[in-house]
Amino acid sequence: MPRFFVDTPLVQPGEISLPAGAARHVQVLRLQPGDELTLFDGSGPEWQAEVTAMGRSEVRVDLLAAEQPQRELSRAVTLAVVMPANDRMDFLVEKATELGAAALQPLVGERSVLRLSGERADKKRSHWQGVAIAAAEQSGRTVPLRVEPVLLLAAWLAALPAPVDDEWRGLLSPRAASPLAAFPQRRALFLSGPEGGLSDAEEDAARARGFSAVSLGPRVLRADTAPLAVLSWLALS
């Protein structure tokens, strides 16, 4: 059954007019009155619905019943990633959404190849949020990954509050001696570097903000592979 995200609250059964984005998807698929579909607004529930009217400028559906599927990770995981180059961020956002990350914080570090700021950063963030929504539609998630504004790593670390009791912070480092191991906290924040890794000064600054350096094994993983390996481990642990 087709699944679509709608950028308007779905609150009660009844007939509604679909927002433009979702309406275009329905039109492209050539759905007809009587066809069933699933809608979600990012707040958690998903709605079973039925097309009631198709027009050139409007698509109307009847919201039938809401469900509360349990498809999220048992932990709320945020990935703080110094952005990889060569458009690998699209892949990272898509797969992080599929694997259950709650949020992704794009960062610019000392060794960054991809450097974004201003209007260009805003446009990229909007694009990545669209990638996350499409991945949520495909994967069955009802709460798409949230893409945060692009920030400088040093400024982000400086503004980061002290960790609270229910949050664990992990620094993914090929130089770390301790492997990633089980932790009891229900929230997690993982910091991962770009091609070439974080500098010594950046790793020291992260440790000063409560991050524990951990290793993902003897092999060197790509900048877009390491955070996804963590998500896969969390999903299966």
Side-chain angles (χ1 to χ4, degrees), residues 42-196:
S43 65
E46 66 180 15
W47 286 80
Q48 301 310 309
E50 182 179 292
V51 178
T52 57
M54 286 285 295
R56 289 188 175 182
S57 60
E58 185 182 37
V59 176
R60 297 192 64 80
V61 301
D62 189 16
L63 298 179
L64 302 174
E67 299 175 354
Q68 287 278 0
Q70 299 300 320
R71 302 186 188 122
E72 298 301 308
L73 292 183
S74 59
R75 293 182 175 91
V77 181
T78 296
L79 301 178
V81 179
V82 180
M83 297 176 292
N86 300 324
D87 294 324
R88 290 184 179 271
M89 275 293 288
D90 281 27
F91 174 83
L92 178 54
V93 170
E94 180 182 76
K95 301 311 174 188
T97 303
E98 291 179 23
L99 290 168
L104 189 144
Q105 173 63 67
L107 298 167
V108 177
E110 292 181 18
R111 296 174 177 169
S112 290
V113 175
L114 178 60
R115 293 182 174 273
L116 300 173
S117 61
E119 184 179 354
R120 185 170 174 235
D122 292 340
K123 288 182 177 179
K124 278 292 188 181
R125 180 197 180 194
S126 179
H127 166 73
W128 291 327
Q129 191 63 66
V131 172
I133 288 171
E137 290 176 335
Q138 177 274 322
S139 65
R141 287 190 66 179
T142 57
V143 184
L145 173 143
R146 182 179 68 259
V147 181
E148 303 288 0
V150 177
L151 296 173
L152 294 173
L153 172 58
W156 177 76
L157 284 172
L160 198 63
V164 294
D165 290 342
D166 68 341
E167 180 188 60
W168 191 82
R169 293 179 179 179
L171 168 63
L172 307 184
S173 171
R175 298 187 289 274
S178 300
L180 179 62
F183 53 89
Q185 291 87 345
R186 309 314 298 171
R187 296 170 55 204
L189 173 60
F190 287 94
L191 173 60
S192 183
E195 299 83 351

Side-chain angles (χ1 to χ4, degrees), residues 4 6 10 16 18 37-41 45-47 49 61 63:
F4 303 117
V6 294
L10 304 176
I16 65 168
L18 288 181
L37 66 161
T38 301
L39 302 175
F40 64 102
D41 62 7
E46 66 180 15
W47 286 80
V61 301
L63 298 179

Side-chain angles (χ1 to χ4, degrees), residues 1-18:
M1 184 185 301
R3 296 182 80 251
F4 303 117
F5 172 80
V6 294
D7 56 358
T8 188
L10 304 176
V11 294
Q12 62 185 10
E15 193 175 46
I16 65 168
S17 180
L18 288 181

